Amino acid sequence: MRSSRVPQALTCGLAALLVAGCTGDPEPPAPPPETEPAPVPTAFGGEAPPGVEGEVLRYLHGDSADTHAILDDPLGVRISPVGDAFLVSSGGEDRHLLHDAATGDTLWEGEARFRGFDAGLDGARVLSMADADGAPFVLDSRGEPVWEPEEEGDAYLDGLAVRRPGGWSAEEPHGEFTLLDADGGELWSYDFAEPEEAGGSEASDDPSGDGDDADSDVGEPALGVPVAARGDLVLLASGGPSLHARSVADDTAGDELWTVDGEDGELGLDTSGLVLPPQVLGFYPLPSAEEDGEGEGADATDEDSDGGDGADDAVMLLRWAQPEAPSTLSAHDPVTGDLLWTLEEPGTNPAAGAFDPAGTVGNLYDTATGTLLLPQASGEATTVAVDLAEGEVLWGLEQEDGSISPAFAFDGLVYGDSRGNTGTDEQLVLDAVTMDVVGDDLSAYVEGITEGGYAMLVHDRQRFVYGPPPEDASEDDPSATPTDGPEGEPGADPSESPGDGG
């Protein structure tokens, strides 16, 4: 007969449980002591990345930081350099402030929707904003008002204001236009007339008709929709392959300056089919503009209204898209419209709208070397670096380099994010001319650098403003030497444009 025997180990276990039941519940374990989060460090323990010089001026986070409360936003903030300030934008709501990079002062703060960066007549970067009701307004890099609409529907364009016909659209672009200065004063009004017949649009784009008929009341040939402005000129797009420059100077407003025609053989475009309207990528100062902008050159620029803003040391860049063919870049003298060079891009790029404002998304410009980084929609290279003085491709980011995303350029260097093998992003610093890596495995991440060389560095959960010591900055105080060129009145020198092409 099989006996029913309980294993000794189980018997002992049951006995232990009975004893425990008789002696009451055991003492609960003592709760672990509350651990305080580690304080945000206030000392910079890293090394300054390439291109960043000076010393730590201040830190921005923590109880001891003497900064604005917006920097403690639980959803974080976005930092963007503008002039010699940092735009600090809340990650959770439409709140922004301008933080003076040199002093830490708050230049402007408010609740508004940030629409993006735009440009002034001199090319300086400005802030395009909209209030709670959607009304647009523009601020300069010091937080001073630049423009607000005089009438509903007025639109800002590179330092000017455009008043379009009521109900204007790209499909029905004709009507009466008025160009205003930033204070609302009328500069020039004209009627962009609809062509009388099917062939009239070609005739309106013919620069040969810009002579004696230019001042007539009927069929004025060199007119169109304003798409860009710089200095004393405005560019008008007619909807065809032509671009017309007109004066907006006080004594010559409306006078014709020059015309660029896509069917001109000098451009070398394929004219066997339809030539699409050009896209204005922007006005870019060449490196010599910075050197010549000092001393007497700066005064000459301010006084000369015929050439605008030192445009003889700048280029106007156009892109000519072609269906199923590589697009072509053409560079022109903004004063005369003369062709400087043409360059075929690596791949096909989409055509912009016939009346789109100047600029393109993602382009980066280094004023120190005259190097423009242009994203490509197709082809072997995702981005190409173009020497704007010579019209040559310096290098390109090929498909295998696609993990590198250029973020900004400053003083001969390109700062970009690279996706590493571990799946984490790390920052690379490249030479703008050669693409050589001059910095990697950085101990501090560079969020941005202002025109005067003030950098926002992220290191060990803290943001640090790093730049010239106060005594060095005071020596370059623009109020002390207003004709010292690039360091003059904010936005006074076009060579200090951030290079967004606006």
Side-chain angles (χ1 to χ4, degrees), residues 330-408:
S330 66
H332 302 262
D333 185 329
V335 175
T336 64
D338 291 343
L339 179 66
L340 302 176
W341 50 260
T342 62
L343 177 66
E344 185 177 275
E345 296 189 83
T348 301
N349 286 286
F355 307 111
D356 285 355
T360 185
V361 176
N363 63 326
L364 304 174
Y365 186 55
D366 176 43
T367 58
T369 61
T371 303
L372 177 68
L373 271 64
L374 270 177
Q376 300 293 297
S378 65
E380 296 182 357
T382 58
T383 299
V384 293
V386 179
D387 181 342
L388 291 191
E390 302 297 331
E392 299 175 350
V393 173
L394 299 173
W395 49 268
L397 292 175
E398 308 296 336
Q399 294 293 348
E400 57 267 23
D401 301 318
S403 60
I404 300 177
S405 301
F408 63 94

Side-chain angles (χ1 to χ4, degrees), residues 183-499:
D183 296 325
E186 182 174 333
L187 299 172
W188 177 42
S189 293
Y190 64 92
D191 183 36
F192 179 32
E194 188 172 359
E196 297 181 357
E197 51 185 330
S201 61
E202 297 180 1
S204 67
D205 284 339
D206 183 4
S208 64
D210 292 348
D212 297 337
D213 293 338
D215 296 326
S216 64
D217 295 333
V218 180
E220 193 168 352
L223 296 175
V225 177
V227 293
R230 181 60 55 92
D232 288 331
L233 70 81
V234 62
L235 297 179
L236 307 179
S238 63
S242 296
L243 195 65
H244 309 291
R246 290 287 184 124
S247 171
V248 288
D250 291 339
D251 53 347
T252 59
D255 286 1
E256 183 185 13
L257 301 177
W258 44 261
T259 292
V260 172
D261 189 349
E263 296 180 344
D264 188 337
E266 189 180 18
L267 288 172
L269 302 177
D270 182 6
T271 58
S272 60
L274 178 67
V275 179
L276 299 177
Q279 179 185 10
V280 183
L281 297 185
F283 296 84
Y284 297 92
L286 298 178
S288 59
E290 291 181 329
E291 300 169 2
D292 297 342
E294 300 181 358
E296 296 178 0
D299 293 337
T301 297
D302 293 340
E303 295 171 0
D304 183 7
S305 61
D306 294 334
D309 58 319
D312 54 330
D313 291 323
V315 298
M316 178 189 71
L317 193 63
L318 305 180
R319 171 180 277 165
W320 304 85
Q322 303 180 75
E324 300 181 358
S327 52
T328 297
L329 300 175
S330 66
H332 302 262
D333 185 329
V335 175
T336 64
D338 291 343
L339 179 66
L340 302 176
W341 50 260
T342 62
L343 177 66
E344 185 177 275
E345 296 189 83
T348 301
N349 286 286
F355 307 111
D356 285 355
T360 185
V361 176
N363 63 326
L364 304 174
Y365 186 55
D366 176 43
T367 58
T369 61
T371 303
L372 177 68
L373 271 64
L374 270 177
Q376 300 293 297
S378 65
E380 296 182 357
T382 58
T383 299
V384 293
V386 179
D387 181 342
L388 291 191
E390 302 297 331
E392 299 175 350
V393 173
L394 299 173
W395 49 268
L397 292 175
E398 308 296 336
Q399 294 293 348
E400 57 267 23
D401 301 318
S403 60
I404 300 177
S405 301
F408 63 94
F410 176 77
D411 200 24
L413 300 176
V414 175
Y415 297 76
D417 296 324
S418 175
R419 175 71 66 173
N421 295 330
T422 61
T424 59
D425 287 340
E426 42 187 38
Q427 193 171 48
L428 289 179
V429 185
L430 309 176
D431 186 286
V433 175
T434 65
M435 197 188 161
D436 293 340
V437 176
V438 298
D440 58 0
D441 194 21
L442 307 177
S443 61
Y445 184 90
V446 188
E447 279 191 294
I449 306 179
T450 72
E451 295 172 4
Y454 296 93
M456 185 71 74
L457 304 183
V458 179
H459 173 74
D460 196 12
R461 300 181 294 129
Q462 179 65 276
R463 281 186 173 95
F464 297 90
V465 178
Y466 200 104
E471 58 270 20
D472 292 350
S474 63
E475 293 175 1
D476 296 330
D477 186 350
S479 63
T481 53
T483 60
D484 280 352
E487 300 298 328
E489 191 77 14
D493 187 352
S495 67
E496 289 299 290
S497 167

Side-chain angles (χ1 to χ4, degrees), residues 47-100:
E47 295 182 0
V52 177
E53 299 178 353
E55 63 184 34
V56 173
L57 301 180
R58 74 194 69 90
Y59 54 90
L60 301 185
H61 300 286
D63 294 339
S64 59
D66 185 18
T67 53
H68 197 280
I70 192 175
L71 287 155
D72 296 325
D73 191 312
L75 295 181
V77 294
R78 300 181 305 277
I79 305 290
S80 306
V82 51
D84 262 333
F86 292 106
L87 176 67
V88 182
S89 301
S90 165
E93 53 188 331
D94 285 332
R95 289 194 302 135
H96 311 271
L97 71 82
L98 276 173
H99 178 90
D100 187 289

Side-chain angles (χ1 to χ4, degrees), residues 10-22:
L10 180 58
T11 305
C12 295
L14 290 172
L17 287 174
L18 291 173
V19 172
C22 295

